[in-house]
Amino acid sequence: MKKLFVLFLISALAIFVFSGCQGLVPSEGEGEEEIQTEGVTVGIEGANKVDNKTYLRAGSHEVTVIFPEPVAGQVKGNITACSGDYRDAIIPEDSEVIFSPNEDRTVWTGSGDFGPQNQPGAVARFSYDCCASYLQIISGECEDEVCINIPVIVDSQDPYATIELCIDDCTCGGCELSFVSTVTSSVCENDTADCGDDCSGLAGWSITLYDKYPFDDCCDTLCEEPVDTYSGSSCPIQWTTDCLTEESYYVVVSLIDNAGNEVTFGTQVEFDSERCAPIVLTEMDPNNCLDKPYNSSFVICEEDARST
């Protein structure tokens, strides 16, 4: 069998950018120049392409390799150790993908672990939670030569947001709540938005308002209809509700990045609906259907904080 290259097709989300058979370690998630292909198709479950970079959530993912002809020998897969100058984490040694063929030996499937993993055999060294690996495919008469190199950036980070909440009078009665992602200012550095994702980037956000606690006992079903909701795909987060006449509401915020990492957090909001003040926030129990993100929170805007 002659040396194989790859026409790389993501069945779920995206086409990958990849290099030839040189076995280089990717530098800070940058892929090599695209190579012309000869009919082999490789797919990785859950991958997503953004700005010519392919992102993948850390963890186990199914890998499928489709050959134009049956493979007489074996198909092997290797995931290189994740590297790149990002954050501290634990990185595994190279891990193997064990493939099984279909009846005519043209379609081979298996699964492998990508990215930082706290698992036996992991190596504590320079390691990061936004790092890059190669998926290497070896097949047939290629023997020990790497025939296909597919670079992926593995995202173990959660998206984040600090959301400022303000209240104001409605013209026709009631109060309106406004939500805005905040910005941190520094004397010696540029302003930094407290919203986004530092690896694959923020893919979307939503804010949903309920007048009763919205989750059932198992957390997998919303048992209340929302009073109001809004969503977007990038920072900044900005939304103003319709006029509200009750004095207590539950706010649920969901953030998702381009690798599929998702965070959901919430707060109870209480206020005097006649005066539209003061405003009081009570964090919803993070052990009861919500996450407790270390980098996401709610704050009351300065003018309303002074009125409490």
Side-chain angles (χ1 to χ4, degrees):
M1 181 181 291
K2 62 184 176 180
K3 188 174 183 180
L4 296 175
F5 292 98
V6 59
L7 172 61
F8 180 56
L9 174 65
I10 291 297
S11 59
L13 290 172
I15 297 173
F16 279 61
V17 178
F18 55 93
S19 75
C21 300
Q22 300 181 14
L24 301 177
V25 176
S27 174
E28 296 187 2
E30 294 295 334
E32 301 296 326
E33 182 178 355
E34 186 169 350
I35 301 297
Q36 295 299 313
T37 63
E38 296 187 14
V40 179
T41 302
V42 179
I44 302 180
E45 174 194 21
N48 190 20
K49 184 178 179 182
V50 181
D51 296 331
N52 290 322
K53 298 181 181 67
T54 299
Y55 292 94
L56 191 66
R57 185 178 181 178
S60 181
H61 295 267
E62 183 174 289
V63 178
T64 302
V65 185
I66 304 174
F67 295 89
E69 299 177 357
V71 176
Q74 295 297 315
V75 176
K76 300 177 183 179
N78 180 61
I79 302 167
T80 64
C82 211
S83 62
D85 189 10
Y86 293 94
R87 301 284 193 271
D88 290 332
I90 298 297
I91 290 178
E93 298 174 327
D94 291 4
S95 59
E96 188 176 3
V97 181
I98 306 300
F99 287 103
S100 299
N102 66 345
E103 186 173 353
D104 67 3
R105 302 179 69 83
T106 58
V107 180
W108 296 69
T109 57
S111 64
D113 292 325
F114 291 79
Q117 304 287 327
N118 288 313
Q119 60 185 33
V123 178
R125 57 189 182 200
F126 294 108
S127 51
Y128 314 97
D129 58 7
C130 182
C131 51
S133 293
Y134 273 126
L135 169 62
Q136 302 172 326
I137 305 296
I138 306 165
S139 64
E141 297 175 2
C142 288
E143 298 176 350
D144 292 333
E145 182 180 12
V146 174
C147 292
I148 300 171
N149 268 334
I150 301 169
V152 295
I153 301 175
V154 184
D155 186 353
S156 302
Q157 299 178 343
D158 288 330
Y160 58 87
T162 299
I163 299 177
E164 185 178 64
L165 198 153
C166 302
I167 193 168
D168 202 357
D169 296 315
C170 279
T171 303
C172 299
C175 310
E176 63 180 21
L177 296 174
S178 62
F179 301 84
V180 180
S181 53
T182 64
V183 173
T184 299
S185 297
S186 174
V187 174
C188 300
E189 298 179 3
N190 295 330
D191 291 351
T192 302
D194 295 331
C195 172
D197 181 89
D198 294 334
C199 188
S200 61
L202 186 69
W205 55 267
S206 67
I207 304 176
T208 308
L209 202 67
Y210 301 90
D211 57 7
K212 296 182 179 64
Y213 189 79
F215 299 102
D216 68 359
D217 291 339
C218 298
C219 298
D220 54 4
T221 302
L222 290 171
C223 53
E224 297 293 336
E225 290 295 324
V227 173
D228 207 351
T229 187
Y230 194 75
S231 61
S233 59
S234 61
C235 290
I237 293 173
Q238 292 181 315
W239 177 49
T240 300
T241 68
D242 294 335
C243 295
L244 306 172
T245 56
E246 301 295 328
E247 297 191 347
S248 178
Y249 293 89
Y250 294 90
V251 178
V252 176
V253 175
S254 292
L255 311 171
I256 189 168
D257 66 20
N258 283 298
N261 296 302
E262 187 171 3
V263 168
T264 301
F265 58 104
T267 187
Q268 183 180 8
V269 182
E270 297 175 281
F271 53 87
D272 185 331
S273 59
E274 294 184 359
R275 297 192 298 123
C276 295
I279 183 171
V280 177
L281 303 183
T282 304
E283 181 184 15
M284 293 167 65
D285 185 357
N287 297 315
N288 191 6
C289 309
L290 296 168
D291 301 316
K292 186 176 177 60
Y294 74 93
N295 54 4
S296 298
S297 62
F298 296 92
V299 295
I300 302 174
C301 62
E302 186 175 349
E303 57 269 27
D304 292 322
R306 288 197 299 263
S307 66
T308 60

